[in-house]
Every structure is written in structure tokens, then in C-alpha cells.
Amino acid sequence: MIVTLIIICEVGFWVLLVLGLALRYLARMPRAGVAVLLCEPLLEVVLLAVTAIDLKNGAEPAFQHGLAAVYLGGTIAYGHYMIRWADGHAAHRLAGGPRPAKPPRYGMARALHEWKMSLRACAGAVIAAGLLQAAIWYVGDPAQTGPLRDWQTKTGFVIVISLLVALAYTVFPKRPSSRDTPDQPTGPGSPPALRRGGLAALRDRAGADRAGADGVGIDRAGADGVGADRAGVANGSGGGTAVDPAKRL
């Protein structure tokens, strides 16, 4: 029952997310969309209540009760992040908003991003461990809380692995290869060549610069031709109006 309810909560999360964004950007009903998105925490409340009731009715703590605690911790830690990510892409595709910025790929900027993601994972693990500890105290029988203790150990592994990943990106920062281009802004104000990226973009940019140089050369040649024409006209005018000194006498 608990596992089925976890699946229902996960499906319900995405259904409410899609419905809320559709109301906000397609139906032009932002308040209704926000109201639907605010209903998502109710799914976690229902799961928590059902799990507590199941334990209160005498159910022996098992794998599914620990899974419910871990799911709640992950949803609390990542729920707002996922909603903000989906909202940014929906605003870009459905409302003409700016393209969401991609995570940095290299250097200390990538390391900082990994630290943020690791701290989010650690927060979810800590919340899950706290819920598991509350369930252990609620049951009160050490002989029955073995599965919950096992899940607490798994949350500890999650914390250690997340911190090691972030530390690895800090000590050994990822660097671009010879075929990659450095991170560049991808917003509307960045040059088109940089937005496309890659060698093709560099070739396009070089071709445009070469075409511009050829145009300048043509303009200069045209200007020289105009100058020569003007000089010829001036000389011709001077020859037509000259008066022989002998005629004056």
C-alpha cells in the first residue's frame, strides 16, 4: 500500500506541475496556476500521514516505510528546484521568455554548481534521516526498527558520496578539451556565433569578417575611382577655359 501511494504521489506531482504551468502560460491564468502548484505539498502530507497511521495500527516497520521517508526527504529538498526549472523552460517556450541559463561546465563555476547540488542532496538525506528517527522513536521497539536503521545508513552514504563528488570537482576542476569552446553567455544579447557554438560558428564568424573586409576594399576602390573622375573633370574644365596670352595682345 505504501509503495503504491509513493507511485501515486510521484505521478500526482508531475500532473499538478503540468496543469499549473498550463494554466499559467497557456490559459493566461497565473493565479490559478500558482494555486495548483501550491497543492503539491499536500501529496507529501498525505503520504506522511498514511505512513504514520500504518505504523500506529501495528504494522511492522519494513522497507516501504523507510522508502516513504526517503521519498519525502528528496521531494522536500528538490521539489522547489524542479518547479523552478520547469517554470523557466515553460516561460521560454510558451511565453517568449529568456532561455534558461545552462549550468556551467568547467572550472570553479562548475565546482560551485556541484556544491549546490550536493548540499541539496545532503539536505534531502538529513530530512529523510530525521523522519526515520522519528519513526524509530514512535515505534519504540528496537527489535522492530532494523529496516529503518538500514535506511538511515543509506542516507549517510548519500551524504558522503555527494560531498566527495563536489570535492572532486573542486580539487580536480574540469577543463575544456581542444574541441570544446569555453563557456559563453547564451542569452538574447550574446552574439549569434557564440550562441551556436562549435567550429561551425567560428567559421561563420571568420567568413563574415572576411566579407566585411572585402566590402571595405570595394568601397575604397570606388572612392578612388570617384576621385579620379573628379580630377579628370577638373582638368578638362581648366583646358576649356584657358585663354592664349597672344590673343590678349
Side-chain angles (χ1 to χ4, degrees), residues 85-110:
W85 173 85
D87 182 73
H89 284 274
H92 170 63
R93 295 185 178 275
L94 302 178
R99 181 185 297 274
K102 294 182 179 180
R105 297 181 296 171
Y106 307 112
M108 295 309 297
R110 174 65 182 270

Side-chain angles (χ1 to χ4, degrees), residues 162-179:
S162 299
L163 294 178
L164 287 178
V165 170
L167 185 62
Y169 274 97
T170 303
V171 178
F172 307 102
K174 186 177 180 181
R175 303 183 184 279
S177 63
S178 58
R179 295 180 299 176

Side-chain angles (χ1 to χ4, degrees), residues 52-211:
I53 292 173
D54 191 42
L55 292 174
K56 182 179 180 181
N57 291 337
E60 183 177 351
F63 172 85
Q64 59 266 26
H65 298 97
L67 180 62
V70 172
Y71 175 80
L72 288 171
T75 303
I76 293 172
Y78 284 92
H80 182 265
Y81 174 80
M82 293 298 298
I83 292 174
R84 186 176 58 184
W85 173 85
D87 182 73
H89 284 274
H92 170 63
R93 295 185 178 275
L94 302 178
R99 181 185 297 274
K102 294 182 179 180
R105 297 181 296 171
Y106 307 112
M108 295 309 297
R110 174 65 182 270
L112 180 60
H113 172 74
E114 293 297 332
W115 274 109
K116 291 179 180 179
M117 299 302 294
S118 296
L119 291 178
R120 188 172 283 110
C122 291
V126 169
I127 294 172
L131 292 174
L132 290 167
Q133 186 61 44
I136 291 171
W137 289 336
Y138 183 75
V139 174
D141 185 1
Q144 297 182 348
T145 57
L148 302 181
R149 293 290 185 187
D150 293 340
W151 274 108
Q152 279 189 323
T153 303
K154 292 181 176 64
T155 59
F157 287 152
V158 171
I159 293 175
V160 172
I161 293 174
S162 299
L163 294 178
L164 287 178
V165 170
L167 185 62
Y169 274 97
T170 303
V171 178
F172 307 102
K174 186 177 180 181
R175 303 183 184 279
S177 63
S178 58
R179 295 180 299 176
D180 295 332
T181 56
D183 291 335
Q184 296 287 350
T186 57
S190 60
L194 294 181
R195 289 202 299 269
R196 289 194 297 270
L199 296 178
L202 296 178
R203 287 196 296 266
D204 293 344
R205 188 171 183 179
D209 294 341
R210 190 178 299 112

